[in-house]
Amino acid sequence: DAGITQSPRHKVTETGTPVTLRCHQTENHRYMYWYRQDPGHGLRLIHYSYGVKDTDKGEVSDGYSVSRSKTEDFLLTLESATSSQTSVYFCAISGISNTANTGELFFGEGSRLTVL
Amino acid sequence: AQSVTQLGSHVSVSEGALVLLRCNYSSSVPPYLFWYVQYPNQGLQLLLKYTSAATLVKGINGFEAEFKKSETSFHLTKPSAHMSDAAEYFCAVSDGRDDKIIFGKGTRLHILP
């Protein structure tokens, strides 16, 4: 199994509070992704990273920011959580090489976030 | 921008019957296409992928998919369903230009005894 760890795995928070989810990989892969999964919507791309300090927006980036200060960590931050951000968040890494993006994703186990 | 449409949010088949899950894509350039499976309370795992080699792609657990450019389709099939195939299946596309990998809404496969 790919070495991907998400933390926390479960979190309950209140509307308006900041939340940070962490994705940690031990595979030295260049590409990292954050998705959210909601019933009826499948997986939607929030942000992704193609290298240290290199990130870009996905399909549903409003209300989220990311940072990647080192290869192994990709942080997803909700600056002021809202109930619409209640979801399961998945981190994924791509590729079997540190340079080429093969497009094959390896997923973490997910982080379930509830915003009350 | 690339996109994926999966027809049917739920599909039910009898054990031993053919499984057919439909996926149509939109991409301005030849795409990379993928099928992923998600078992309950787990992350997703790759079933198979198309990356411009053979149009018929074989994956794990007896699944295969055929890339049809003229139909912009990448349907997933398995000749004989097994109870253990019950899961949610996602089709995904990447056009290889901006590293975005976009998923469809998923199809939940139910296997009837």
Side-chain angles (χ1 to χ4, degrees):
Chain A
D1 291 342
I4 309 170
T5 305
Q6 292 185 228
S7 59
R9 293 289 313 282
H10 300 272
K11 186 171 182 66
V12 179
T13 191
E14 294 187 349
T15 298
T17 60
V19 175
T20 295
L21 305 180
R22 179 182 184 235
C23 179
H24 178 78
Q25 61 145 330
T26 58
E27 307 295 322
N28 199 34
H29 284 187
R30 178 180 173 188
Y31 300 90
M32 298 185 74
Y33 299 79
W34 276 109
Y35 289 89
R36 60 177 289 176
Q37 183 175 23
D38 305 286
H41 292 278
L43 273 79
R44 291 179 290 176
L45 179 63
I46 305 172
H47 282 280
Y48 65 103
S49 171
Y50 47 95
V52 174
K53 295 190 183 343
D54 291 324
T55 65
D56 204 349
K57 295 179 179 180
E59 305 167 276
V60 290
S61 58
D62 287 348
Y64 300 95
S65 62
V66 290
S67 66
R68 192 165 177 203
S69 59
K70 46 187 178 178
T71 298
E72 56 266 37
D73 288 327
F74 191 33
L75 304 181
L76 176 70
T77 297
L78 292 65
E79 301 291 346
S80 177
T82 68
S83 58
S84 64
Q85 293 176 312
T86 292
S87 186
V88 179
Y89 292 85
F90 284 100
C91 175
I93 63 176
S94 176
I96 56 174
S97 141
N98 191 32
T99 53
N101 189 354
T102 65
E104 177 180 349
L105 296 176
F106 298 93
F107 284 82
E109 294 185 336
S111 295
R112 184 175 296 274
L113 175 66
T114 301
V115 183
L116 301 176
Chain B
Q2 65 270 41
S3 66
V4 167
T5 301
Q6 291 186 240
L7 297 177
S9 58
H10 292 266
V11 170
S12 296
V13 301
S14 298
E15 190 173 19
L18 171 71
V19 175
L20 171 61
L21 304 182
R22 300 178 186 273
C23 172
N24 289 89
Y25 69 90
S26 172
S27 175
S28 59
V29 298
Y32 298 150
L33 293 161
F34 310 86
W35 276 100
Y36 286 83
V37 61
Q38 184 181 33
Y39 297 103
N41 300 313
Q42 295 185 23
L44 282 74
Q45 62 184 83
L46 182 71
L47 268 181
L48 50 80
K49 63 181 179 181
Y50 167 77
T51 56
S52 76
T55 57
L56 182 62
V57 181
K58 294 186 184 299
I60 62 173
N61 301 335
F63 284 93
E64 61 182 36
E66 186 173 9
F67 172 69
K68 293 187 176 180
K69 184 178 179 180
S70 61
E71 299 177 7
T72 62
S73 69
F74 190 57
H75 301 332
L76 181 71
T77 60
K78 182 175 180 178
S80 177
H82 191 273
M83 295 300 290
S84 61
D85 295 327
E88 191 157 21
Y89 292 80
F90 294 91
C91 184
V93 63
S94 171
D95 66 12
R97 293 186 299 180
D98 60 8
D99 298 310
K100 289 181 181 178
I101 302 170
I102 303 300
F103 283 78
K105 294 184 178 182
T107 298
R108 186 168 296 279
L109 177 64
H110 304 272
I111 309 298
L112 307 174

